Structures are given as structure tokens and as C-alpha cells.
Amino acid sequence: YRSSTWWAMAASWPVLLVLAVFAPLFMPIFGHGYRIGDTTLTVLALAMLANTGTGSCGVLLLMSGRSKLMLGLQAVGLGVNIGLNVWLVPSHGALGGLVGAAVAWTATILILAVGPTLAIWRSYGVLPFGKGYVVVAAASVGCFGGLGVVTRAAFGSAVIPFVCFAVVSSSIYVALL
């Protein structure tokens, strides 16, 4: 469980952090009208860090015979998602509505990541965290989050600075891992 979580983080966190930091660069790829979704992409990419950072906890919970608990967590997630969408989306307009929907989905992702993780920990004493977790998280956040924020602040969301950032950050990341 730990090892697979770390490997999943090592592969996905760099991509998620790049999407979060450079969302304004990527959203126009889908068309001019999609530019409005860059904040939404940032919110959801950051939420997925928690999802991948807890590993396959839902599968582990199901395979350990705790399907009723998982069903309950899914029901809570669904209720929170519907409730937050009803509350956040209509009252905030077009851009706020997109961000509101992203916040609702983020809350659901967190419930379905943290809930099973806590249940597995309480029932079996197993957590995805450890020495490898810290190494992968620190390397990912430093190389792609921190260096990405510095690059975007200094040069904006242009293609050439992004490509330079991608080469430098990926090289450092590989060396650190």
C-alpha cells in the first residue's frame, strides 16, 4: 500500500502540480472559451494531490471486507457534493459557478480520500505515509510547485519559459528521486 502510493505520487504529482501552476497556459488548448476554467483546473489539480497522496485506500477498504463503510463514505461524498453544488454554483455566476463546482468536487474528493485512509488506519494500523512519502512529496512540490510558481511569477504563462522550466524541473526531480 505504501510503496504503490509513493510510486503513484512520483508519477502523478509532477503533472498535477504543473497543471495547477500553469493552468492558464493549458486551458486555451481546448478553445478560447475554456480560458475561464483555469482557476477550476488549479483547484481540481490540487485536490487530486490528496487523492493520489492517500493511495488506493478505497480499494484496500473494500478488499478488507468493509464495503458497507465504503458505501457510507460514498453516500456522504454524494450528499456533500450535491449540497455544495446547490449552494455554491447558482449564487456565484459563471466563473464563480465553475469554481463553486470545483470546490464541491474537491470536498467530495477529500471525503473519499481521507475517510477510507482513516478507516484503514483505525482498523489495521496502516497508513500510506513514511520516508518515501516525504521524499516524493518534497521533491514534487519543490521542483514542480515551487519552481513552477517562481517561473510563472517571473515569466508568465508563456510557452518558451514553460519548456525551460519543464526541462530544468524534470532534471532536478529525476536526480532527487
Side-chain angles (χ1 to χ4, degrees):
Y1 172 54
R2 284 182 177 167
S3 184
S4 68
T5 300
W6 303 342
W7 279 105
M9 289 170 56
S12 63
W13 276 32
V15 174
L16 293 169
L17 288 163
V18 165
L19 288 173
V21 173
F22 289 97
L25 178 67
F26 292 111
M27 289 308 291
I29 292 171
F30 301 104
H32 181 68
Y34 286 90
R35 186 175 299 265
I36 194 170
D38 60 354
T39 303
T40 303
L41 177 58
T42 299
V43 170
L44 291 174
L46 294 174
M48 289 306 293
L49 293 175
N51 191 35
T52 54
T54 56
S56 56
C57 54
V59 173
L60 193 58
L61 195 60
L62 286 171
M63 292 180 72
S64 67
R66 308 290 305 273
S67 58
K68 287 182 184 176
L69 177 58
M70 192 62 196
L71 178 63
L73 289 168
Q74 292 280 345
V76 169
L78 176 63
V80 167
N81 190 293
I82 291 170
L84 286 175
N85 273 297
V86 167
W87 178 52
L88 294 174
V89 173
S91 61
H92 291 92
L95 176 60
L98 286 174
V99 175
V103 168
W105 188 234
T106 296
T108 304
I109 289 169
L110 292 175
I111 288 167
L112 298 178
V114 174
T117 301
L118 292 175
I120 291 166
W121 174 60
R122 287 197 48 143
S123 298
Y124 307 106
V126 178
L127 285 171
F129 313 115
K131 184 180 176 184
Y133 192 99
V134 174
V135 169
V136 172
S140 299
V141 171
C143 292
F144 295 97
L147 189 55
V149 168
V150 169
T151 302
R152 183 169 167 208
F155 303 105
S157 291
V159 174
I160 292 175
F162 171 75
V163 170
C164 294
F165 152 76
V167 169
V168 170
S169 62
S170 296
S171 300
I172 296 169
Y173 184 67
V174 168
L176 287 174
L177 290 187

